[in-house]
Amino acid sequence: MARKLSYKMAVNEALDLEMTRDPTVILMGEDIVGGAGSPGEDDAWGGVLGVTKGLFAKHGARVMDTPLSESAYIGAAIGAAACGMRPVAELMFIDFIGCCFDEIFNQAAKFRYMFGGKAETPVVIRAMIGAGYRAAAQHSQMLTPIVTHIPGLKVVCPSNAYDVKGLLIQSIRDNDPVIFCEHKNLYAHEVDVPLESYAIPFGEAAIPREGRDATIVTYGLMVHRSLEAAEKLAREGVDVEVIDLRTLSPMDWDTVIESVEKTGRLIAVDEAHPRCSIASDITAFVAQHAFRALKSAPQMVTAPHSPVPFSPTLEDIYIPSAETIAGAVKKTIIQKMVAA
Amino acid sequence: MSDNPFPVDKAGLLEAYRMMKTIREFEERLHIDFAKGDIPGFVHLYAGEEAVATGIMMHLNDRDRIASTHRGHGHCISKGVDVHGMMAEIYGKETGSCLGRGGSMHIADLSKGMMGANGILGAGAPLICGAGLAAKFRGDGGVGITFFGDGAANQGMVLESMNLAAVWNLPVIFVCENNGYAEATSRDYGTAVKSYVDRGAGFGIPGVHADGTDFFAVYEVVGELIKRAREGGGPALLECEVIRFFGHFEGDAQTYKAKGENEYNRANRDCLKIFRAKVTEAGVISDAELDAIDGEVAELIEDSVASAKAAPLPSPKDLMSNVYVSY
């Protein structure tokens, strides 16, 4: 049975289900209880945006507030994972990764390889990503390319509540370290979500819209902008396919290549900066592996090579819009190949 | 033989000596073979600091965990990691503790509670908080020990971890092995406080000192801290002053040291000589018994080198294996 559930509450439900199923699952993060040791309610906040609200009441000491000390508690989550626990640590905003990147990319990501396959580090690091919240340069970034670059990490970035639930459950059960990216501007977005538990395997992209004329490859909030662009183009007679990657590492290259071989046109859409991005990664892979299928030069739609601005006027043009995406799709269609 | 005045029985004393001697012989041999060009990469030797690893590890079992440093061979040996596997690892062979994928700076054996040497200074501190947390959830009385040098004592992650361990009351001991040099820079240049022990008060945890050249001093002091941690008393900071017989890394000409410093320390502050003098003067163990151990250890190390040299290299087809559990 399904009912409407928000992206935010899908996170909460997945955590609750897995904590109930597996006593080694523990949660830690800054204010995920939100009031520990204070004179008022212990669990006043349940996370800065209320994502973990109610879990402390249900699971008690397994839901832990931490000091504002990312290096220590993210490292502790990783250490506990190497010692048989399944910690889910919340890095409130992915922008804070600078304070604990060593623990993530030099420790968690490398244990298995550098210890000759004798270590498992089943840690999940949940982090809010993305612009549009008027949160300015240090609370709005899309740092997915940085974590996707690192061998040993898995990177998940769902676009809707159904995927959030299934992918977070998979992340917790997975035996590798997972960076689970939650787009803060999708927290209120609702779709039908089954009541029961289910896991979505990693490395399987979704195709929320099938089409013949061009392929948009994207993830996260940009899935919605791309679908909006596709609807607009459909009214103009252009039939666009939209691929929602869902996980960035592992990457479902097969689905991307199959789609481009069908449509002959690629538009890679990414809320990250353009250089060394998911968009440039997709574009390079397609150029290398499906060059003959391409009818025109691939296009990238990304945020600019600048920090996220505060002023709403500027932030609104910083984030790729449906119009920009639609424009890029048209460019792939009117383009003539230089060498026919 | 006289009555044993030491806090360890005779079998334990022999075991401690064998542990220290194994570390010493392992490191002295690496020093020679590295100079010959037999060993690839970076090697940081623990010789001179053996009493600390041994004095601590004599209190631990496989359920207890340690997080080590770039200078980790001594911690590994005393925590029970197989010497043959270690030597093969340092030679980059498939039979190594980590299949030759880690090398000297990343030897680990989680089955022995050894969570890894670490190429990042201070990185063991957050990890051991996690080990302590896991032990606390399991309620198994396990403790975690992390090591760092006087240089890494200034890393933010070490200081943050002391605070986290204190507020979560974790069964964790932070061990500062102060050998006077952060790589080549003197301890006093890089640290303003007179004693690292003083930092314990800043985090609300006990800070205690031990002479790291004296096995018994370390053994007794850390024994109390470990007992306290096992009983739920929480974390502590231990500073051990030690001597680093070699340079920061092999190949280091050590010109930053005073003239005659190494010779003086070898003659007067060698933890193995100090141990031998104490146990033989007390009449508990004879020189002959210790000499016999020396001979056995020399054979073990010789054999580990021979087998490491003869061992197969990793296969190129396995370059990408074990990046993930599944991908």
Side-chain angles (χ1 to χ4, degrees):
Chain A
M1 204 192 96
R3 77 291 189 221
K4 291 276 183 220
L5 191 69
S6 69
Y7 189 101
K8 173 169 116 173
M9 290 317 292
V11 175
N12 185 291
E13 190 165 291
L15 294 172
D16 185 22
L17 285 166
E18 285 304 284
M19 289 194 84
T20 304
R21 186 187 65 82
D22 181 350
T24 67
V25 177
I26 55 173
L27 309 189
M28 60 178 85
E30 292 159 351
D31 282 315
I32 64 163
V33 180
S38 304
E41 293 171 33
D42 267 343
D43 57 346
W45 279 12
V48 69
L49 295 181
V51 174
T52 45
K53 184 77 177 165
L55 297 177
F56 175 73
K58 194 164 172 189
H59 301 285
R62 289 163 63 204
V63 184
M64 289 173 289
D65 269 346
T66 68
L68 304 185
S69 188
E70 289 88 5
S71 177
Y73 81 80
I74 294 291
I78 290 161
C83 295
M85 304 298 286
R86 286 188 181 271
V88 181
E90 180 178 299
L91 181 60
M92 194 183 290
F93 294 92
I94 202 165
D95 312 66
F96 303 169
I97 202 169
C99 295
C100 54
F101 202 28
D102 180 73
E103 285 73 18
I104 294 171
F105 91 101
N106 268 327
Q107 311 299 328
K110 294 182 172 52
F111 282 168
R112 184 161 185 82
Y113 190 83
M114 123 187 134
F115 299 161
K118 292 172 190 163
E120 288 189 2
T121 313
V123 67
V124 180
I125 297 165
R126 294 179 41 241
M128 273 192 274
I129 53 165
Y133 219 81
R134 313 316 189 200
Q138 297 171 342
H139 287 69
S140 303
Q141 294 172 84
M142 177 59 70
L143 299 179
T144 41
I146 289 181
V147 279
T148 302
H149 183 71
I150 309 295
L153 298 181
K154 291 177 176 171
V155 182
V156 180
C157 189
S159 69
N160 63 76
Y162 178 88
D163 288 354
V164 163
K165 182 172 171 180
L167 289 168
L168 184 50
I169 287 174
Q170 175 59 35
S171 300
I172 295 169
R173 294 178 186 177
D174 200 89
N175 291 322
D176 291 305
V178 177
I179 311 296
F180 192 88
C181 302
E182 300 168 13
H183 203 297
K184 55 176 98 57
N185 275 312
L186 289 172
Y187 271 157
H189 184 262
E190 293 186 347
V191 295
D192 283 339
V193 177
L195 277 170
E196 63 272 18
S197 182
Y198 59 93
I200 298 174
F202 290 166
E204 291 187 11
I207 306 180
R209 190 183 200 287
E210 292 190 13
R212 295 182 313 272
D213 298 330
T215 300
I216 296 179
V217 180
T218 190
Y219 63 98
L221 176 71
M222 288 298 114
V223 170
H224 302 279
R225 298 268 164 104
S226 298
L227 288 169
E228 208 183 306
E231 287 306 315
K232 181 176 141 64
L233 289 162
R235 290 193 291 273
E236 299 173 25
V238 180
D239 189 18
V240 177
E241 181 146 300
V242 177
I243 295 179
D244 177 354
L245 293 169
R246 304 204 285 197
T247 67
L248 305 177
S249 181
M251 180 77 91
D252 184 356
W253 296 116
D254 290 349
T255 296
V256 172
I257 294 295
E258 269 169 41
S259 177
V260 172
E261 281 175 347
K262 177 176 72 173
T263 66
R265 297 182 180 90
L266 171 71
I267 305 92
V269 181
D270 191 356
E271 198 188 314
H273 309 297
R275 302 287 314 281
C276 306
S277 62
I278 303 303
S280 63
D281 193 27
I282 297 282
T283 307
F285 191 90
V286 167
Q288 198 176 356
H289 295 92
F291 186 73
R292 285 173 175 281
L294 288 170
K295 296 172 184 159
S296 60
Q299 297 294 307
M300 297 201 324
V301 179
T302 68
H305 191 66
S306 85
V308 181
F310 167 65
S311 174
T313 306
L314 295 177
E315 190 181 31
D316 288 345
I317 56 169
Y318 169 95
I319 306 167
S321 67
E323 289 69 31
T324 313
I325 296 166
V329 174
K330 284 184 186 172
K331 217 170 164 183
T332 64
I333 289 168
I334 59 170
Q335 240 177 42
K336 297 273 182 289
M337 291 299 277
V338 179
Chain B
M1 287 277 150
S2 312
D3 286 344
N4 181 352
F6 301 111
V8 184
D9 64 18
K10 184 171 175 179
L13 291 172
L14 290 169
E15 185 192 345
Y17 181 78
R18 183 183 297 275
M19 222 181 247
M20 289 198 287
K21 185 69 188 178
T22 305
I23 299 169
R24 177 66 55 84
E25 190 78 18
F26 192 89
E27 301 295 63
E28 299 274 15
R29 181 59 185 262
L30 282 177
H31 176 71
I32 292 165
D33 289 351
F34 186 90
K36 285 195 289 192
D38 291 352
I39 295 162
F42 298 140
V43 176
H44 308 82
L45 301 181
Y46 193 72
E49 310 188 13
E50 293 88 346
V52 175
T54 305
I56 292 170
M57 252 59 93
M58 288 290 289
H59 291 283
L60 306 185
N61 53 51
D62 288 353
R63 169 194 72 187
D64 299 318
R65 292 187 163 92
I66 66 165
S68 175
T69 70
H70 59 296
R71 200 174 303 290
H73 303 163
H75 305 138
C76 290
I77 290 172
S78 53
K79 195 69 175 73
V81 181
D82 175 60
V83 167
H84 280 79
M86 286 179 62
M87 191 62 85
E89 185 62 31
I90 292 166
Y91 273 81
K93 298 300 183 75
E94 184 69 18
T95 54
S97 313
C98 304
L99 315 183
R101 306 309 198 271
S104 165
M105 269 191 287
H106 306 298
I107 299 175
D109 185 346
L110 288 121
S111 70
K112 296 286 181 189
M114 168 50 189
M115 294 175 72
N118 211 307
I120 306 298
L121 298 185
L127 299 174
I128 211 66
C129 288
L133 185 66
K136 204 172 162 179
F137 269 108
R138 274 197 292 270
D140 64 7
V143 295
I145 314 274
T146 188
F147 298 88
F148 49 91
D150 45 293
N154 294 323
Q155 288 276 31
M157 57 182 122
V158 173
L159 305 170
E160 285 192 34
S161 297
M162 286 189 209
N163 181 63
L164 185 70
V167 298
W168 280 354
N169 196 42
L170 300 176
V172 166
I173 317 289
F174 296 89
V175 178
C176 176
E177 294 176 312
N178 174 7
N179 62 28
Y181 293 102
E183 301 184 353
T185 303
S186 83
R187 174 247 179 260
D188 292 341
Y189 180 90
T191 304
V193 293
K194 290 284 174 226
S195 165
Y196 292 100
V197 165
D198 296 344
R199 290 187 175 172
F203 297 102
I205 65 175
V208 292
H209 178 271
D211 174 359
T213 66
D214 180 359
F215 166 83
F216 298 104
V218 175
Y219 181 86
E220 292 200 44
V221 165
V222 82
E224 285 169 31
L225 299 179
I226 290 171
K227 180 167 179 286
R228 178 175 172 276
R230 287 198 202 284
E231 290 168 354
L237 167 63
L238 170 65
E239 177 184 2
C240 297
E241 279 176 68
V242 290
I243 308 295
R244 191 182 78 196
F245 280 0
F246 293 110
H248 168 60
F249 54 89
E250 282 313 277
D252 174 1
Q254 305 178 66
T255 47
Y256 48 85
K257 286 187 177 174
K259 268 207 160 53
E261 183 176 324
N262 284 337
E263 294 73 15
Y264 175 84
N265 285 331
R266 288 254 185 194
N268 299 294
R269 302 194 64 196
D270 179 341
C271 59
L272 273 152
K273 283 185 186 165
I274 293 168
F275 182 94
R276 179 183 278 257
K278 285 199 178 191
V279 297
T280 53
E281 280 163 23
V284 178
I285 299 176
S286 69
D287 275 314
E289 286 172 293
L290 297 177
D291 292 344
I293 291 176
D294 290 353
E296 288 164 21
V297 167
E299 269 177 48
L300 169 71
I301 300 302
E302 181 58 42
D303 189 55
S304 74
V305 172
S307 67
K309 285 182 173 171
L313 289 161
S315 164
K317 73 174 169 43
D318 292 330
L319 173 67
M320 297 276 290
S321 59
N322 291 319
V323 178
Y324 294 92
V325 177
S326 60
Y327 196 62

